[in-house]
Structure formats: C-alpha cells, structure tokens
C-alpha cells in the first residue's frame, strides 16, 4: 500500500536472486493509480491484482493466496529484499513436509540479524530472538514478513483472521493454530532475507496498532 518504491526494490532482488520457476502475484491494497502502473511496468511482469480497498496485511495475503496457482506459496512484505539462494531452502522445508510454516533468517542491509524467531508468553506477548540457530530452528513464532507454506493448508486453516485488520498479530494467531495442530514453525537459516523494518508504519502507528491487536 502506497510504497511502490519498496515493491520495485523487492522485485529487482527477486529477479536477480531467484532462478527457480515462480510466479509473482502483487496485491495492491488501494494505492494511487500511479503506484500500480509503476509496478505493472516492472520487467518481471508481475500479476498485479487491485483490491477494492485496503484489506490490511492479512486480508491482502488471503486475497493473494486465493489467486496464486502454485502449490507452495511464499508471502512477502513489500519492505524486503531477497538474497542469493533464498528460495530453495524454504521450498525444501515445505515440500518435504519438514515444516508447516518456514521463514528465512531476517537480516539488515549490513548482514546483522534482525529476527531469528520468537517466543510467545501465556498472555500473548512476543519476544523476538536474534540468536542464530543451525539448519532449521523450531520457534513459537516468526514474523510473517516472509512465510512459505502449502496453499491447501493455509486455505484449510481459513488464512489469516481478518478481525485483526491493519497492523499486527494475525501471524501470531495463525502460528499458534499451526503449532496447536502439531505443525512446526521453523526459521530456515540457509535462507536470508533483508527486512527493512518500519517500511510499512511509522513508530507511533506501529505502537498503536500493536497494542490494539494484542488485545484482539
């Protein structure tokens, strides 16, 4: 929503670092027409689908997954850039049924760890980790900035709960559902994705939405 510049940087990185066969589905959550046209004109030729209004991240993802044709789906925030050899380790974890949700190691532009999973307390608070594991690291939760999963599984779970609207915690909710059904949520340390945190909301909006959605 409203940050075509971030989407174009992400698409540039996907084009550079993704030799595997893939489709690109972009859900635009009601941005300006000029943003949509810029994305449609990208050399990667993404399939851009315009939502009738801003559905929030969870609603936008649900819309995108419904329109994806691949059996394995990778959902992505717009404020990401992928790195070399990022996709295959995620696909292997899902397609070999090692994990229900597989996420990369999130790093910053200098290579420092931003997030390597999180623990969830009994009252629903999330405590992020920046400690790197080896191979596959089982976690309570990992931000849904970049998740790989089986499309059929996601749709059978009902996708992200739209009750959360804009903001956060729809991913915490779904990760808890996955683990309650004996699914594994893992960080795949061989896959690294740069996450420019704060690209979606400013700090004040982030605090407000996090507090609201934690209560929900």
């Amino acid at each position: 929503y409203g940050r075509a510049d971030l989407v174009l940087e992400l698409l540039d990185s996907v084009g550079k670092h993704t030799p595997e066969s893939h489709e690109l589905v972009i859900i635009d959550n009601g941005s300006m027409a000029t943003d949509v046209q810029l994305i449609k004109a990208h050399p990667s030729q993404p399939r851009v689908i315009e939502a009738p209004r801003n559905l929030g991240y969870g609603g936008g993802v649900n819309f995108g997954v419904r329109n994806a044709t691949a059996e394995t789906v990778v959902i992505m925030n717009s404020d990401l850039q992928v790195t070399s050899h990022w996709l295959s380790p995620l696909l292997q974890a899902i397609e070999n049924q090692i994990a229900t949700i597989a996420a990369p190691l999130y790093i910053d532009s200098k290579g420092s760890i931003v997030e390597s999973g999180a623990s969830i307390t009994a009252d629903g608070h999330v405590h992020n980790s920046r400690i790197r594991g080896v191979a596959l690291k089982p976690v309570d939760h990992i931000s849904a900035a970049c998740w790989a999963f089986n499309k059929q599984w996601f749709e059978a779970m009902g996708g992200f709960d739209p009750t959360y609207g804009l903001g956060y915690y729809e991913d915490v909710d779904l990760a808890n559902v996955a683990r309650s059904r004996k699914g594994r949520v893992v960080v795949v340390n061989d896959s690294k994705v740069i996450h420019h945190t704060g690209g979606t909301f400013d700090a004040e909006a982030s605090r407000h939405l996090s507090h609201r959605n934690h209560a929900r």
Side-chain angles (χ1 to χ4, degrees):
Y1 170 76
R3 289 298 304 270
D5 57 324
L6 293 177
V7 178
L8 295 175
E9 288 179 359
L10 171 57
L11 291 175
D12 286 344
S13 70
V14 170
K16 182 178 180 180
H17 297 299
T18 315
E20 298 88 351
S21 177
H22 62 277
E23 64 171 349
L24 290 167
V25 180
I26 306 291
I27 300 301
D28 181 82
N29 262 334
S31 302
M32 294 177 59
T34 51
D35 289 339
V36 176
Q37 293 308 312
L38 283 170
I39 296 168
K40 286 182 176 179
H42 191 270
S44 62
Q45 297 183 314
R47 183 153 54 100
V48 181
I49 302 173
E50 296 178 61
R53 56 185 175 81
N54 193 334
L55 303 172
Y57 185 63
V61 166
N62 292 347
F63 192 22
V65 172
R66 282 198 302 273
N67 283 278
T69 61
E71 183 178 345
T72 302
V73 176
V74 181
I75 61 171
M76 308 185 81
N77 269 11
S78 56
D79 56 356
L80 302 176
Q81 288 178 273
V82 303
T83 67
S84 178
H85 190 60
W86 74 280
L87 181 57
S88 288
L90 297 177
L91 297 181
Q92 290 168 12
I94 299 303
E95 293 172 358
N96 294 334
Q97 298 183 352
I98 299 169
T100 303
I101 297 170
L105 185 70
Y106 297 127
I107 60 175
D108 63 20
S109 57
K110 296 180 180 180
S112 298
I113 295 174
V114 173
E115 183 185 351
S116 62
S119 59
I120 304 173
T121 60
D123 59 357
H125 286 287
V126 177
H127 296 275
N128 288 336
S129 170
R130 295 185 180 182
I131 300 173
R132 181 172 181 169
V134 294
L136 302 183
K137 176 185 176 183
V139 294
D140 288 348
H141 170 64
I142 177 75
S143 165
C146 182
W147 275 8
F149 49 71
N150 177 274
K151 176 181 177 177
Q152 186 175 357
W153 168 82
F154 183 81
E155 294 186 323
M157 295 298 101
F160 286 123
D161 187 340
T163 303
Y164 291 96
L166 294 175
Y168 307 94
Y169 278 94
E170 67 273 282
D171 53 354
V172 178
D173 185 50
L174 190 55
N176 279 337
V177 170
R179 292 189 301 107
S180 73
R181 295 175 181 239
K182 309 303 181 185
R184 295 183 77 205
V185 180
V186 303
V187 176
V188 182
N189 284 281
D190 289 338
S191 174
K192 300 179 185 66
V193 169
I194 298 169
H195 189 194
H196 300 290
T197 55
T200 308
F201 298 115
D202 61 33
E204 184 177 350
S206 178
R207 284 192 297 271
H208 167 73
L209 291 169
S210 181
H211 180 75
R212 183 198 70 181
N213 283 5
H214 174 259
R216 288 178 174 175

